Amino acid sequence: MKVIAFNGSARKDGNTAILVRALFKELEKAGIETELVQLSGKKMHGCTACMKCMEKKNRRCVIADFANECIAKMDEADGIILASPTYFSDVTAEMKALIDRSGFVAMANDSMFRRKVGAAVVAVRRGGAIHTFDTINHFFFISQMVVPGSCYWNVGIGLAPGDVENDDEGLNTMKVLGENMAWVMKKLKK
């Protein structure tokens, strides 16, 4: 089994990546392969609503950029983690582009993410994290994915890179999320 995570932060190895790696530790303990894709610096256009994915049904977007690599990785994975810092109470523009583009492609191709396991990870300085968390989970739910919970909302608090390492509750939330995600994936695989 494999889980692919997408870090929507402009900081490649900042707080968002630290939270994902805390979750990965638990998945890897359970024997699940993990991969982290950093969206920072990648060229990825937002959805243009051209509807070509609905015509072609080839599991790709007609816009030729990094999004298609991400969509292919999502298609192959058993679990998908979308991770974003909180920008003005929502996901980053890069994460929103990935959500919109992959979401349309998935719908065009018989709900290709249906029954995969999805988890949201959110880094925040102070406020807006729940809206960010909701944005990601709305994508999972409309994609017919299975979403495990944790002991709190999947949020870590910090501003400067590395600050989340001082958020014991946030790190524990990622640990429990990783345990629960692994458990759900193994149950679904049976």
Side-chain angles (χ1 to χ4, degrees), residues 5-9 11-26 36 38 81 83-85 121-123 155-168 170-175:
F6 298 91
N7 176 10
S9 177
R11 296 176 178 157
K12 283 189 178 178
D13 289 309
N15 291 320
T16 309
I18 291 167
L19 293 169
V20 170
R21 287 188 177 106
L23 194 163
F24 274 2
K25 284 180 189 174
E26 300 309 313
L36 177 60
Q38 312 249 15
I81 296 168
S84 181
V121 171
V122 178
V155 174
I157 297 172
L159 176 60
D163 279 355
V164 295
E165 291 174 334
N166 299 316
D167 180 10
D168 293 337
L171 292 173
N172 186 60
T173 299
M174 296 305 133
K175 178 184 184 300

Tab-separated table of all heavy atoms in Angstrom, residues 5-9 11-26 36 38 81 83-85 121-123 155-168 170-175:
chain	number	residue	atom	x	y	z
A	5	ALA	N	1.470	12.210	-0.409
A	5	ALA	CA	1.104	13.467	0.250
A	5	ALA	C	1.570	14.628	-0.604
A	5	ALA	O	2.642	14.576	-1.212
A	5	ALA	CB	1.745	13.550	1.634
A	6	PHE	N	0.756	15.669	-0.641
A	6	PHE	CA	1.083	16.885	-1.379
A	6	PHE	C	1.177	18.038	-0.395
A	6	PHE	O	0.215	18.329	0.315
A	6	PHE	CB	0.016	17.166	-2.443
A	6	PHE	CG	-0.063	16.079	-3.470
A	6	PHE	CD1	-0.928	15.011	-3.297
A	6	PHE	CD2	0.759	16.104	-4.580
A	6	PHE	CE1	-0.981	13.984	-4.222
A	6	PHE	CE2	0.719	15.074	-5.517
A	6	PHE	CZ	-0.153	14.017	-5.330
A	7	ASN	N	2.340	18.664	-0.363
A	7	ASN	CA	2.568	19.813	0.501
A	7	ASN	C	2.316	21.077	-0.317
A	7	ASN	O	3.084	21.402	-1.218
A	7	ASN	CB	4.004	19.793	1.039
A	7	ASN	CG	4.339	21.003	1.873
A	7	ASN	OD1	3.470	21.803	2.221
A	7	ASN	ND2	5.609	21.147	2.201
A	8	GLY	N	1.255	21.795	0.019
A	8	GLY	CA	0.887	23.007	-0.706
A	8	GLY	C	1.590	24.258	-0.227
A	8	GLY	O	1.275	25.348	-0.685
A	9	SER	N	2.553	24.117	0.659
A	9	SER	CA	3.240	25.283	1.208
A	9	SER	C	4.297	25.838	0.259
A	9	SER	O	4.944	25.095	-0.476
A	9	SER	CB	3.928	24.907	2.530
A	9	SER	OG	4.647	26.013	3.033
A	11	ARG	N	6.935	26.983	1.442
A	11	ARG	CA	8.152	26.546	2.131
A	11	ARG	C	8.266	25.026	2.006
A	11	ARG	O	7.499	24.295	2.624
A	11	ARG	CB	8.109	26.930	3.601
A	11	ARG	CG	8.096	28.418	3.832
A	11	ARG	CD	7.961	28.696	5.323
A	11	ARG	NE	7.995	30.128	5.591
A	11	ARG	CZ	7.478	30.684	6.664
A	11	ARG	NH1	6.887	29.930	7.584
A	11	ARG	NH2	7.547	31.975	6.842
A	12	LYS	N	9.241	24.557	1.250
A	12	LYS	CA	9.366	23.125	0.992
A	12	LYS	C	9.462	22.282	2.254
A	12	LYS	O	8.855	21.236	2.343
A	12	LYS	CB	10.569	22.847	0.093
A	12	LYS	CG	10.301	23.164	-1.343
A	12	LYS	CD	11.423	22.683	-2.217
A	12	LYS	CE	11.084	22.968	-3.665
A	12	LYS	NZ	12.133	22.580	-4.562
A	13	ASP	N	10.244	22.676	3.207
A	13	ASP	CA	10.422	21.853	4.394
A	13	ASP	C	10.044	22.621	5.656
A	13	ASP	O	10.675	22.464	6.698
A	13	ASP	CB	11.868	21.338	4.459
A	13	ASP	CG	12.117	20.300	3.379
A	13	ASP	OD1	11.318	19.350	3.285
A	13	ASP	OD2	13.095	20.448	2.621
A	14	GLY	N	8.982	23.401	5.567
A	14	GLY	CA	8.498	24.183	6.695
A	14	GLY	C	7.553	23.387	7.572
A	14	GLY	O	7.588	22.148	7.618
A	15	ASN	N	6.684	24.086	8.261
A	15	ASN	CA	5.786	23.472	9.242
A	15	ASN	C	4.851	22.431	8.639
A	15	ASN	O	4.592	21.398	9.257
A	15	ASN	CB	4.989	24.562	9.957
A	15	ASN	CG	5.880	25.398	10.852
A	15	ASN	OD1	6.769	24.874	11.521
A	15	ASN	ND2	5.653	26.700	10.868
A	16	THR	N	4.347	22.701	7.450
A	16	THR	CA	3.412	21.756	6.829
A	16	THR	C	4.098	20.423	6.558
A	16	THR	O	3.558	19.356	6.865
A	16	THR	CB	2.822	22.353	5.536
A	16	THR	OG1	2.308	23.660	5.816
A	16	THR	CG2	1.713	21.496	4.981
A	17	ALA	N	5.300	20.478	6.021
A	17	ALA	CA	6.057	19.247	5.744
A	17	ALA	C	6.409	18.515	7.036
A	17	ALA	O	6.381	17.279	7.080
A	17	ALA	CB	7.320	19.566	4.953
A	18	ILE	N	6.730	19.254	8.085
A	18	ILE	CA	7.044	18.632	9.380
A	18	ILE	C	5.835	17.841	9.888
A	18	ILE	O	5.973	16.710	10.367
A	18	ILE	CB	7.479	19.698	10.404
A	18	ILE	CG1	8.850	20.270	10.010
A	18	ILE	CG2	7.515	19.120	11.819
A	18	ILE	CD1	9.243	21.539	10.760
A	19	LEU	N	4.647	18.413	9.762
A	19	LEU	CA	3.427	17.718	10.195
A	19	LEU	C	3.185	16.453	9.366
A	19	LEU	O	2.838	15.397	9.910
A	19	LEU	CB	2.225	18.657	10.107
A	19	LEU	CG	2.238	19.836	11.084
A	19	LEU	CD1	1.145	20.833	10.721
A	19	LEU	CD2	2.093	19.359	12.531
A	20	VAL	N	3.376	16.556	8.058
A	20	VAL	CA	3.188	15.385	7.190
A	20	VAL	C	4.166	14.282	7.579
A	20	VAL	O	3.792	13.105	7.676
A	20	VAL	CB	3.340	15.759	5.698
A	20	VAL	CG1	3.395	14.507	4.827
A	20	VAL	CG2	2.207	16.669	5.255
A	21	ARG	N	5.401	14.650	7.824
A	21	ARG	CA	6.399	13.632	8.178
A	21	ARG	C	6.084	12.970	9.522
A	21	ARG	O	6.377	11.779	9.715
A	21	ARG	CB	7.791	14.250	8.153
A	21	ARG	CG	8.256	14.511	6.721
A	21	ARG	CD	9.711	14.946	6.644
A	21	ARG	NE	10.094	15.102	5.247
A	21	ARG	CZ	10.265	16.280	4.642
A	21	ARG	NH1	10.112	17.411	5.327
A	21	ARG	NH2	10.604	16.329	3.372
A	22	ALA	N	5.473	13.704	10.440
A	22	ALA	CA	5.041	13.099	11.708
A	22	ALA	C	3.966	12.041	11.447
A	22	ALA	O	3.973	10.970	12.064
A	22	ALA	CB	4.522	14.179	12.661
A	23	LEU	N	3.060	12.326	10.541
A	23	LEU	CA	2.018	11.373	10.148
A	23	LEU	C	2.657	10.182	9.430
A	23	LEU	O	2.308	9.027	9.685
A	23	LEU	CB	1.021	12.102	9.241
A	23	LEU	CG	-0.325	11.474	8.936
A	23	LEU	CD1	-1.261	12.538	8.400
A	23	LEU	CD2	-0.236	10.344	7.986
A	24	PHE	N	3.614	10.470	8.535
A	24	PHE	CA	4.297	9.407	7.784
A	24	PHE	C	4.959	8.384	8.705
A	24	PHE	O	4.986	7.194	8.395
A	24	PHE	CB	5.376	10.004	6.880
A	24	PHE	CG	4.908	10.459	5.526
A	24	PHE	CD1	3.587	10.385	5.124
A	24	PHE	CD2	5.838	10.982	4.625
A	24	PHE	CE1	3.184	10.817	3.870
A	24	PHE	CE2	5.452	11.414	3.364
A	24	PHE	CZ	4.125	11.324	2.980
A	25	LYS	N	5.512	8.818	9.829
A	25	LYS	CA	6.189	7.885	10.744
A	25	LYS	C	5.263	6.743	11.134
A	25	LYS	O	5.675	5.583	11.181
A	25	LYS	CB	6.665	8.614	12.004
A	25	LYS	CG	7.897	9.445	11.807
A	25	LYS	CD	8.300	10.124	13.109
A	25	LYS	CE	9.408	11.120	12.862
A	25	LYS	NZ	9.732	11.908	14.060
A	26	GLU	N	4.017	7.075	11.401
A	26	GLU	CA	3.054	6.039	11.817
A	26	GLU	C	2.663	5.144	10.652
A	26	GLU	O	2.507	3.934	10.818
A	26	GLU	CB	1.826	6.683	12.453
A	26	GLU	CG	2.135	7.519	13.677
A	26	GLU	CD	2.972	6.802	14.716
A	26	GLU	OE1	2.647	5.636	15.054
A	26	GLU	OE2	3.960	7.401	15.198
A	36	LEU	N	6.288	12.165	-0.403
A	36	LEU	CA	5.907	13.567	-0.232
A	36	LEU	C	6.238	14.327	-1.504
A	36	LEU	O	7.377	14.331	-1.955
A	36	LEU	CB	6.641	14.190	0.954
A	36	LEU	CG	6.396	15.682	1.210
A	36	LEU	CD1	4.922	15.970	1.485
A	36	LEU	CD2	7.259	16.166	2.369
A	38	GLN	N	6.237	18.071	-3.073
A	38	GLN	CA	6.210	19.480	-2.684
A	38	GLN	C	5.741	20.302	-3.883
A	38	GLN	O	6.346	20.247	-4.956
A	38	GLN	CB	7.613	19.923	-2.261
A	38	GLN	CG	8.259	18.953	-1.286
A	38	GLN	CD	8.411	19.498	0.113
A	38	GLN	OE1	7.812	20.484	0.487
A	38	GLN	NE2	9.224	18.833	0.889
A	81	ILE	N	-2.892	12.360	1.044
A	81	ILE	CA	-2.840	13.410	2.055
A	81	ILE	C	-2.690	14.740	1.324
A	81	ILE	O	-1.798	14.892	0.480
A	81	ILE	CB	-1.649	13.216	3.015
A	81	ILE	CG1	-1.809	11.920	3.798
A	81	ILE	CG2	-1.502	14.423	3.949
A	81	ILE	CD1	-0.559	11.498	4.556
A	83	ALA	N	-1.973	18.598	2.218
A	83	ALA	CA	-1.467	19.395	3.330
A	83	ALA	C	-1.259	20.831	2.880
A	83	ALA	O	-0.686	21.074	1.823
A	83	ALA	CB	-0.151	18.802	3.833
A	84	SER	N	-1.733	21.758	3.695
A	84	SER	CA	-1.615	23.170	3.332
A	84	SER	C	-1.446	24.036	4.564
A	84	SER	O	-2.100	23.792	5.583
A	84	SER	CB	-2.863	23.627	2.565
A	84	SER	OG	-2.752	24.982	2.181
A	85	PRO	N	-0.627	25.075	4.445
A	85	PRO	CA	-0.686	26.107	5.474
A	85	PRO	C	-1.966	26.908	5.259
A	85	PRO	O	-2.634	26.768	4.228
A	85	PRO	CB	0.559	26.959	5.190
A	85	PRO	CG	0.830	26.762	3.742
A	85	PRO	CD	0.356	25.371	3.417
A	121	VAL	N	-4.073	17.809	6.310
A	121	VAL	CA	-3.100	18.293	7.285
A	121	VAL	C	-3.005	19.803	7.101
A	121	VAL	O	-2.822	20.286	5.976
A	121	VAL	CB	-1.719	17.635	7.085
A	121	VAL	CG1	-0.657	18.301	7.949
A	121	VAL	CG2	-1.794	16.134	7.378
A	122	VAL	N	-3.126	20.542	8.212
A	122	VAL	CA	-3.159	21.999	8.139
A	122	VAL	C	-2.161	22.602	9.123
A	122	VAL	O	-2.144	22.238	10.303
A	122	VAL	CB	-4.585	22.528	8.450
A	122	VAL	CG1	-4.625	24.043	8.434
A	122	VAL	CG2	-5.599	21.941	7.478
A	123	ALA	N	-1.365	23.528	8.630
A	123	ALA	CA	-0.488	24.331	9.483
A	123	ALA	C	-1.097	25.730	9.566
A	123	ALA	O	-1.634	26.241	8.579
A	123	ALA	CB	0.922	24.396	8.899
A	155	VAL	N	-4.498	19.775	12.794
A	155	VAL	CA	-3.911	21.107	12.733
A	155	VAL	C	-2.663	21.169	13.605
A	155	VAL	O	-2.652	20.635	14.715
A	155	VAL	CB	-4.925	22.170	13.220
A	155	VAL	CG1	-4.307	23.541	13.308
A	155	VAL	CG2	-6.155	22.188	12.321
A	156	GLY	N	-1.627	21.837	13.089
A	156	GLY	CA	-0.437	22.134	13.878
A	156	GLY	C	-0.219	23.639	13.876
A	156	GLY	O	-0.451	24.303	12.866
A	157	ILE	N	0.220	24.179	15.006
A	157	ILE	CA	0.348	25.627	15.157
A	157	ILE	C	1.812	26.040	15.122
A	157	ILE	O	2.645	25.477	15.837
A	157	ILE	CB	-0.308	26.095	16.466
A	157	ILE	CG1	-1.805	25.778	16.409
A	157	ILE	CG2	-0.069	27.580	16.709
A	157	ILE	CD1	-2.548	25.994	17.697
A	158	GLY	N	2.105	27.035	14.262
A	158	GLY	CA	3.455	27.578	14.175
A	158	GLY	C	3.548	28.588	13.059
A	158	GLY	O	2.831	28.497	12.066
A	159	LEU	N	4.442	29.545	13.190
A	159	LEU	CA	4.655	30.560	12.154
A	159	LEU	C	5.988	30.353	11.461
A	159	LEU	O	6.046	30.035	10.280
A	159	LEU	CB	4.565	31.971	12.749
A	159	LEU	CG	4.866	33.125	11.779
A	159	LEU	CD1	3.902	33.118	10.602
A	159	LEU	CD2	4.822	34.453	12.516
A	160	ALA	N	7.079	30.511	12.182
A	160	ALA	CA	8.405	30.344	11.590
A	160	ALA	C	8.660	28.869	11.299
A	160	ALA	O	8.148	27.997	12.009
A	160	ALA	CB	9.463	30.895	12.539
A	161	PRO	N	9.425	28.567	10.252
A	161	PRO	CA	9.725	27.163	9.958
A	161	PRO	C	10.268	26.448	11.192
A	161	PRO	O	11.181	26.923	11.856
A	161	PRO	CB	10.780	27.250	8.855
A	161	PRO	CG	10.506	28.558	8.178
A	161	PRO	CD	10.056	29.477	9.291
A	162	GLY	N	9.660	25.335	11.525
A	162	GLY	CA	10.062	24.544	12.678
A	162	GLY	C	9.230	24.786	13.924
A	162	GLY	O	9.297	24.004	14.876
A	163	ASP	N	8.441	25.848	13.946
A	163	ASP	CA	7.629	26.149	15.137
A	163	ASP	C	6.691	25.011	15.536
A	163	ASP	O	6.432	24.816	16.718
A	163	ASP	CB	6.799	27.426	14.933
A	163	ASP	CG	7.575	28.710	15.159
A	163	ASP	OD1	8.757	28.637	15.568
A	163	ASP	OD2	6.990	29.789	14.923
A	164	VAL	N	6.163	24.265	14.560
A	164	VAL	CA	5.213	23.196	14.898
A	164	VAL	C	5.870	22.088	15.714
A	164	VAL	O	5.175	21.319	16.372
A	164	VAL	CB	4.493	22.589	13.672
A	164	VAL	CG1	3.599	23.595	12.992
A	164	VAL	CG2	5.458	21.948	12.710
A	165	GLU	N	7.191	22.020	15.700
A	165	GLU	CA	7.871	21.014	16.507
A	165	GLU	C	7.683	21.270	18.002
A	165	GLU	O	7.911	20.373	18.817
A	165	GLU	CB	9.354	20.958	16.145
A	165	GLU	CG	9.549	20.393	14.740
A	165	GLU	CD	10.982	20.449	14.246
A	165	GLU	OE1	11.761	21.316	14.712
A	165	GLU	OE2	11.307	19.621	13.386
A	166	ASN	N	7.236	22.478	18.356
A	166	ASN	CA	6.928	22.810	19.745
A	166	ASN	C	5.453	22.619	20.081
A	166	ASN	O	5.043	22.856	21.219
A	166	ASN	CB	7.331	24.263	20.048
A	166	ASN	CG	8.818	24.475	19.856
A	166	ASN	OD1	9.621	23.660	20.282
A	166	ASN	ND2	9.181	25.550	19.195
A	167	ASP	N	4.651	22.213	19.096
A	167	ASP	CA	3.219	21.999	19.298
A	167	ASP	C	2.977	20.512	19.576
A	167	ASP	O	2.684	19.734	18.669
A	167	ASP	CB	2.433	22.467	18.069
A	167	ASP	CG	0.935	22.261	18.211
A	167	ASP	OD1	0.460	21.933	19.318
A	167	ASP	OD2	0.232	22.417	17.187
A	168	ASP	N	3.128	20.129	20.844
A	168	ASP	CA	2.986	18.716	21.218
A	168	ASP	C	1.616	18.155	20.856
A	168	ASP	O	1.498	17.024	20.402
A	168	ASP	CB	3.248	18.531	22.708
A	168	ASP	CG	4.698	18.801	23.092
A	168	ASP	OD1	5.581	18.706	22.204
A	168	ASP	OD2	4.947	19.106	24.269
A	170	GLY	N	-0.437	19.192	18.451
A	170	GLY	CA	-0.510	19.047	16.997
A	170	GLY	C	0.251	17.829	16.504
A	170	GLY	O	-0.233	17.084	15.645
A	171	LEU	N	1.441	17.603	17.052
A	171	LEU	CA	2.230	16.436	16.653
A	171	LEU	C	1.547	15.145	17.083
A	171	LEU	O	1.556	14.155	16.343
A	171	LEU	CB	3.641	16.527	17.227
A	171	LEU	CG	4.507	17.641	16.632
A	171	LEU	CD1	5.817	17.758	17.399
A	171	LEU	CD2	4.760	17.418	15.141
A	172	ASN	N	0.934	15.134	18.267
A	172	ASN	CA	0.198	13.951	18.698
A	172	ASN	C	-1.020	13.703	17.805
A	172	ASN	O	-1.355	12.556	17.504
A	172	ASN	CB	-0.234	14.067	20.163
A	172	ASN	CG	-0.865	12.781	20.642
A	172	ASN	OD1	-0.237	11.722	20.632
A	172	ASN	ND2	-2.125	12.859	21.043
A	173	THR	N	-1.658	14.782	17.373
A	173	THR	CA	-2.803	14.649	16.463
A	173	THR	C	-2.356	13.967	15.167
A	173	THR	O	-3.066	13.102	14.638
A	173	THR	CB	-3.425	16.028	16.178
A	173	THR	OG1	-3.875	16.583	17.415
A	173	THR	CG2	-4.585	15.934	15.208
A	174	MET	N	-1.173	14.326	14.652
A	174	MET	CA	-0.648	13.695	13.433
A	174	MET	C	-0.317	12.231	13.685
A	174	MET	O	-0.569	11.371	12.836
A	174	MET	CB	0.590	14.436	12.935
A	174	MET	CG	0.342	15.856	12.504
A	174	MET	SD	-0.946	16.027	11.245
A	174	MET	CE	-1.885	17.381	11.949
A	175	LYS	N	0.227	11.925	14.857
A	175	LYS	CA	0.546	10.539	15.213
A	175	LYS	C	-0.722	9.684	15.213
A	175	LYS	O	-0.764	8.625	14.586
A	175	LYS	CB	1.215	10.498	16.588
A	175	LYS	CG	1.560	9.113	17.096
A	175	LYS	CD	2.138	9.183	18.511
A	175	LYS	CE	2.582	7.844	19.023
A	175	LYS	NZ	1.528	6.839	19.108
